[in-house]
Amino acid sequence: MKLSNFGFNLPPELLAEYPSENRDEARLMVLNRKEQTIEHKLFKDIIDYFDEDDVLILNNTKVFPARLYGNKEKTGARIEVFLLRELNEEQRLWDVLVDPARKIRIGNKLYFGDDDALVAEVIDNTTSRGRTLRFLYDGSYTEFRRKLQELGETPLPKYIKREVEPEDEERYQTIYAKKEGAVAAPTAGLHFSKHLLKRLEIKGVNFAEVTLHVGLGTFNPVEVEDLSKHKMDSEEVTIAKAAVETVNEAIQNKKRVCAVGTTAMRAIESSVSSNGLLNEIDGWTNKFIFPPYDFSIANCMITNFHTPKSTLLMMVSAFAGHDFIMKAYEEAVKEKYKFYSYGDAMLII
């Protein structure tokens, strides 16, 4: 498979700037791999596809307000700082992206907040836009993190052209988000309402929570025609014993095991035992899944509609079959499904 196999024409009006008014009333396209059929439903209808002791694997990462705006010392130029990951808690070192990057050099200081309450010094260049910052703040670590929360804004994807609204803080977060560390939401999970999760629970469906802190690497464009040469950025992943036991029991009992989103799928496929069961993990993954690929854990997947030529589309294509997924995307465009983070959903069984 080559990069050019994953292009398609996406009309700009199909990019979702806002989510459905009710989370679980987004549209749902259901793909049956065995029958090669496509059905059109609402997201809340997924309950009809699950039975007692089936398992939904949820990524419980929580998005933090990773986008800050500061001013450069002396010139006062406005600089966007995107927090990627914390490198050292004690020294308050962070891996960040800056924009415009050409203005930001080692030794520069950036000031944040109306009262310049937070200052950061650039101590290293990592990539063309990447920098290492040391934050200078008088208070305790807890107060420092609180200040970051206060000054940061929800990191909506760049293709959403409107301004960030206060409501985005809640709507760009899954209702089961617990462990802070992602710079982007695991968007397939945005469709679940508390009511729908409760109905699934009453039906006897089990939930296994994993954590994969979504980084910007997920969205990095693939720039090589030969997919085997593309390198994914590493993302932090944790799968604890409770999730492993829930998932493995379902596999052994031949139940439906459904990865909610590409991030949950990447997490579980990063920790597979030699006999095809799930292992515990607490580390990092840079796994890149593209066709052909044999999946070991999940036999079902919930996902959104993805960008042409993205690593996310490649993974979904490996799971559903390339020709089938491209046919489904053609139909999604024709039927005016909404794409990307706030868009509609797909269930692949």
Side-chain angles (χ1 to χ4, degrees):
M1 279 280 165
K2 299 270 191 285
L3 176 63
S4 47
N5 292 119
F6 295 93
F8 64 93
N9 184 33
L10 179 59
E13 65 271 17
L14 296 187
L15 302 187
E17 294 262 308
Y18 291 93
S20 305
E21 200 170 319
N22 296 318
R23 282 177 185 255
D24 57 14
E25 288 184 353
R27 294 169 73 193
L28 178 73
M29 181 184 276
V30 182
L31 272 56
N32 185 313
R33 295 179 291 171
K34 190 177 169 199
E35 309 292 338
Q36 294 284 292
T37 56
I38 296 174
E39 293 179 282
H40 303 284
K41 303 277 186 178
L42 292 180
F43 191 80
K44 60 187 179 186
D45 298 329
I46 65 160
I47 193 159
D48 300 333
Y49 296 87
F50 293 94
D51 293 315
E52 194 171 351
D53 293 330
D54 287 343
V55 173
L56 287 172
I57 301 171
L58 310 174
N59 181 7
N60 66 10
T61 188
K62 189 173 187 182
V63 181
F64 67 95
R67 191 171 274 133
L68 301 171
Y69 292 95
N71 297 97
K72 191 179 165 189
E73 64 177 336
K74 295 185 182 135
T75 67
R78 189 176 196 240
I79 306 293
E80 178 187 309
V81 173
F82 198 102
L83 302 172
L84 291 178
R85 60 175 70 100
E86 187 172 47
L87 301 173
N88 185 304
E89 187 177 307
E90 216 171 291
Q91 295 180 39
R92 297 179 190 170
L93 296 182
W94 281 76
D95 206 357
V96 307
L97 295 176
V98 292
D99 192 22
R102 65 185 185 282
K103 296 184 173 179
I104 303 301
R105 299 187 172 89
I106 293 172
N108 286 162
K109 284 203 171 111
L110 300 172
Y111 292 85
F112 302 91
D114 295 339
D115 54 356
D116 298 341
L118 190 61
V119 183
E121 184 179 3
V122 182
I123 61 169
D124 198 11
N125 292 336
T126 51
T127 61
S128 60
R129 287 183 56 214
R131 303 288 184 271
T132 303
L133 295 189
R134 176 187 285 121
F135 283 96
L136 312 168
Y137 186 72
D138 286 341
S140 67
Y141 179 72
T142 309
E143 289 166 331
F144 163 64
R145 287 302 296 241
R146 201 176 298 135
K147 183 56 75 176
L148 284 185
Q149 291 272 357
E150 185 189 307
L151 294 171
E153 71 173 32
T154 303
L156 287 186
K158 284 282 192 191
Y159 60 78
I160 292 181
K161 299 299 182 201
R162 63 175 173 79
E163 289 293 307
V164 173
E165 298 168 3
E167 294 83 355
D168 287 312
E169 190 178 338
E170 180 263 334
R171 60 192 177 200
Y172 195 61
Q173 200 82 269
T174 64
I175 56 167
Y176 47 77
K178 286 180 190 151
K179 299 191 174 170
E180 196 170 81
V183 300
T187 54
L190 294 179
H191 302 289
F192 284 94
S193 63
K194 284 185 177 152
H195 180 62
L196 179 57
L197 278 184
K198 194 71 196 163
R199 287 176 63 215
L200 285 159
E201 193 184 317
I202 290 165
K203 198 170 182 180
V205 175
N206 295 320
F207 304 107
E209 293 189 10
V210 301
T211 308
L212 184 132
H213 290 317
V214 189
L216 283 186
T218 296
F219 309 99
N220 278 351
V222 179
E223 290 171 337
V224 284
E225 181 66 8
D226 178 352
L227 299 184
S228 64
K229 292 189 165 54
H230 177 70
K231 297 284 181 285
M232 291 284 280
D233 284 3
S234 289
E235 294 172 319
E236 200 174 349
V237 59
T238 308
I239 302 176
K241 190 180 177 187
V244 167
E245 287 171 351
T246 302
V247 170
N248 287 344
E249 189 179 338
I251 292 172
Q252 285 158 339
N253 292 330
K254 299 196 164 30
K255 293 290 180 184
R256 185 160 276 172
V257 177
C258 189
V260 177
T262 55
T263 61
M265 184 69 89
R266 192 155 72 257
I268 58 180
E269 286 295 319
S270 298
S271 194
V272 180
S273 68
S274 55
N275 57 351
L277 294 173
L278 188 59
N279 276 339
E280 291 177 51
I281 184 176
D282 188 5
W284 296 79
T285 179
N286 62 353
K287 192 166 191 68
F288 174 32
I289 297 173
F290 60 95
Y293 182 86
D294 289 327
F295 290 82
S296 300
I297 306 295
N299 52 24
C300 165
M301 183 180 191
I302 294 169
T303 188
N304 281 31
F305 290 91
H306 305 295
T307 333
K309 298 186 177 178
S310 63
T311 59
L312 310 174
L313 176 57
M314 289 162 194
M315 180 197 288
V316 173
S317 168
F319 191 72
H322 182 261
D323 292 347
F324 191 29
I325 211 76
M326 296 318 277
K327 179 186 165 197
Y329 268 54
E330 203 178 298
E331 183 151 336
V333 169
K334 193 176 82 190
E335 295 293 330
K336 297 191 164 36
Y337 274 73
K338 291 290 190 179
F339 278 66
Y340 300 0
S341 299
Y342 279 154
D344 293 315
M346 178 185 276
L347 171 66
I348 308 168
I349 56 177

